[in-house]
Amino acid sequence: MTNENTTHFGFKQVRTEEKVRMVRGVFDAVADKYDLMNDLMSLGIHRIWKRIAVQLANVRSGDQVLDLAGGTGDLTSLFEKRVGKKGQVVLADINSEMLRTGRNRLIDKGLTGNIRYAQVNAECLPFADNTFDCVCIGFGLRNVTDKDAALRSMHRVLKPGGRVIVLEFSHPTDKLTEKVYDFYSFKLLPKIGAVVAKDEDSYRYLAESIRMHPKQEELKKMMENAGLERCEYFNMTQGIVAVHRGYKI
């Protein structure tokens, strides 16, 4: 049970002010191996999940997009192709190491003209009201300390008619998938992290953070409470991942 001074860090209960530091430590540790680990964790399927999320975002030429918790830039590179030279994508992350890794990767790809970078906290975005046509957060909301504040902040910076896209690990829709996924997450994933990234604890936290993340219907309700409308979600891979979408009217 949490109170106003504590929150969850995986399965542990920690002081609220400590979580940001602890999450930063996790992603500082895994930044250089993040892309490789994503491929190993999802057997490469994360690339399909991200493409589906971008399709559901309905981003057009000239749009302004905020890629929150953008990490190493996978979603930013997909959005960049859609917004074109007249649009802009802001790759944003609270973690400087992840942001540096993403920036270097995108520059190496030659993607420089319409991408900006910002180190931000999703709970208090430093952008003006009604700035973006789309705000996307991919595999990052579960690491945010105050998810309700983050969703309200995303709603604030959206233009009327804009949409929030939340791509996140979620909860399997059937018992068999849940059982297999639990075995993989808690038995195999930390061991893969230990071998590949030399960091078993960080990948144990990542597995635990997925289990503590709100279920699909609960997250939909949280988005509605933040002011978003026409909220809906799309399960992928039997609910292992879900895309939530909501609009600012």
Side-chain angles (χ1 to χ4, degrees):
M1 182 69 67
T2 60
N3 58 45
E4 61 181 6
N5 296 315
T6 64
T7 187
H8 292 291
F9 178 77
F11 291 161
K12 299 176 183 177
Q13 191 172 354
V14 300
R15 293 186 63 82
T16 300
E17 62 269 21
E18 292 179 348
K19 180 169 180 177
V20 172
R21 176 184 59 79
M22 296 172 77
V23 170
R24 182 182 298 120
V26 168
F27 286 95
D28 281 346
V30 303
D32 290 341
K33 298 286 188 180
Y34 189 72
D35 291 325
L36 173 60
M37 285 302 301
N38 276 344
D39 282 329
L40 292 173
M41 285 191 297
S42 69
L43 304 179
I45 301 174
H46 73 98
R47 300 178 189 279
I48 298 174
W49 296 332
K50 289 171 181 173
R51 289 184 180 279
I52 292 172
V54 170
Q55 289 174 357
L56 290 170
N58 294 323
V59 169
R60 300 179 178 87
S61 176
D63 278 358
Q64 303 290 312
V65 177
L66 175 60
D67 179 14
L68 269 180
T72 54
D74 279 355
L75 285 165
T76 290
S77 64
L78 293 173
F79 281 124
E80 186 272 343
K81 296 174 184 176
R82 290 180 174 245
V83 303
K85 294 181 179 180
K86 295 182 179 179
Q88 184 173 250
V89 183
V90 178
L91 172 59
D93 204 294
I94 195 172
N95 183 276
S96 60
E97 283 300 309
M98 293 294 291
L99 194 62
R100 178 189 59 81
T101 301
R103 179 176 179 273
N104 290 345
R105 181 181 176 195
L106 293 171
I107 289 173
D108 287 346
K109 287 183 174 182
L111 304 178
T112 58
N114 58 352
I115 299 175
R116 289 172 50 213
Y117 304 90
Q119 186 173 358
V120 305
N121 185 337
E123 298 172 21
C124 48
L125 295 172
F127 305 107
D129 296 0
N130 308 319
T131 297
F132 296 100
D133 298 283
C134 177
V135 177
C136 178
I137 182 165
F139 302 114
L141 186 61
R142 72 181 188 279
N143 298 310
V144 174
T145 301
D146 189 338
K147 297 175 179 61
D148 293 307
L151 290 168
R152 290 193 300 269
S153 192
M154 293 179 215
H155 176 267
R156 180 184 63 77
V157 301
L158 270 185
K159 296 176 183 178
R163 51 268 175 219
V164 165
I165 298 291
V166 180
L167 170 65
E168 189 55 89
F169 289 108
S170 199
H171 295 264
T173 54
D174 65 87
K175 292 297 184 181
L176 178 58
T177 301
E178 183 177 22
K179 184 176 294 187
V180 173
Y181 190 45
D182 279 347
F183 175 79
Y184 173 74
S185 299
F186 294 109
K187 300 297 184 182
L188 297 184
L189 178 57
K191 299 303 181 185
I192 295 173
V195 172
V196 177
K198 304 297 187 290
D199 189 347
E200 183 172 346
D201 289 343
S202 291
Y203 285 90
R204 181 175 295 107
Y205 159 74
L206 293 175
E208 292 176 357
S209 70
I210 292 168
R211 292 304 177 278
M212 299 304 296
H213 188 65
K215 292 185 177 181
Q216 287 90 324
E217 282 292 335
E218 182 182 356
L219 179 54
K220 177 184 174 185
K221 183 63 177 177
M222 290 169 65
M223 293 174 68
E224 292 169 346
N225 290 342
L228 294 160
E229 300 187 31
R230 293 167 52 197
C231 296
E232 56 189 335
Y233 60 86
F234 307 85
N235 285 319
M236 298 184 287
T237 318
Q238 286 72 52
I240 288 174
V241 165
V243 177
H244 283 68
R245 180 172 63 186
Y247 293 83
K248 182 173 181 177
I249 305 301

